[in-house]
Amino acid sequence: MEKKYPIPPFNEKTALQKVKGAEKAWNSKDSVQISNAYSIDTEWRNRSEFINGREEVRVFLKKKWENELDYKLKKDLWSFSENRIAVRFEYEFKNKQGQWFRAYGNENWEFDENGLMKKRFASINDLPINESDRRL
């Protein structure tokens, strides 16, 4: 049986470990490594896009980093319960034309009993910025 530690139920320490682990994984931009943290039948809403299953996650992430260059992410724990975690985040990237952006948002996560994320709902807004205004 596949497991991704820490597993629920979460306390403050283990919820924070889950958030920082996700931050580190996403900053690696390794779509296979990242997708392995999600259940086979994971459900996502990312902005207005709906993604179903681990394989669709891999395809989505691969495409994401083909368009979001020099990506850097920071996640913060917002709240948690037994098998759910809410985070706030911001990330910066530039597009292929060289325009920098800072994206802000919130994510709601739900985990199965093995610590794999089975639901991820993300609300994200992009703000064009100058390269000199980068923080990350």
Side-chain angles (χ1 to χ4, degrees):
M1 186 62 83
E2 242 180 319
K3 290 196 185 248
K4 180 72 175 165
Y5 291 93
I7 59 175
F10 298 118
N11 58 41
E12 186 172 3
K13 180 181 176 182
T14 57
L16 188 56
Q17 285 174 331
K18 212 54 146 169
V19 171
K20 291 307 170 184
E23 177 185 277
K24 182 178 178 182
W26 279 65
N27 280 322
S28 78
K29 298 182 279 304
D30 181 337
S31 60
V32 173
Q33 173 197 358
I34 295 163
S35 66
N36 287 337
Y38 299 91
S39 66
I40 295 291
D41 60 348
T42 192
E43 296 176 35
W44 281 26
R45 183 186 51 76
N46 195 85
R47 291 183 168 96
S48 61
E49 194 167 353
F50 293 86
I51 300 153
N52 293 291
R54 190 182 284 173
E55 188 54 38
E56 284 188 23
V57 168
R58 286 183 183 139
V59 171
F60 169 83
L61 292 173
K62 186 177 182 305
K63 187 172 24 169
K64 173 183 180 67
W65 289 308
E66 289 172 356
N67 297 304
E68 295 181 7
L69 310 175
D70 297 323
Y71 176 94
K72 179 71 175 164
L73 167 73
K74 173 79 171 116
K75 288 186 182 282
D76 293 307
L77 175 63
W78 187 262
S79 182
F80 66 93
S81 67
E82 295 229 351
N83 70 328
R84 293 183 175 156
I85 296 176
V87 300
R88 69 150 304 276
F89 64 87
E90 63 181 321
Y91 64 88
E92 294 174 346
F93 67 94
K94 68 179 176 186
N95 63 18
K96 290 180 179 178
Q97 294 73 37
Q99 173 63 56
W100 282 94
F101 294 87
R102 183 173 303 118
Y104 298 96
N106 300 294
E107 292 176 333
N108 297 311
W109 301 341
E110 184 177 328
F111 296 87
D112 67 16
E113 65 280 356
N114 295 308
L116 297 169
M117 194 182 300
K118 64 182 182 178
K119 295 187 180 182
R120 175 187 174 264
F121 302 112
S123 299
I124 307 167
N125 298 299
D126 295 330
L127 174 68
I129 61 172
N130 294 319
E131 184 173 9
S132 60
D133 294 329
R134 292 181 61 210
R135 294 194 303 228
L136 302 177

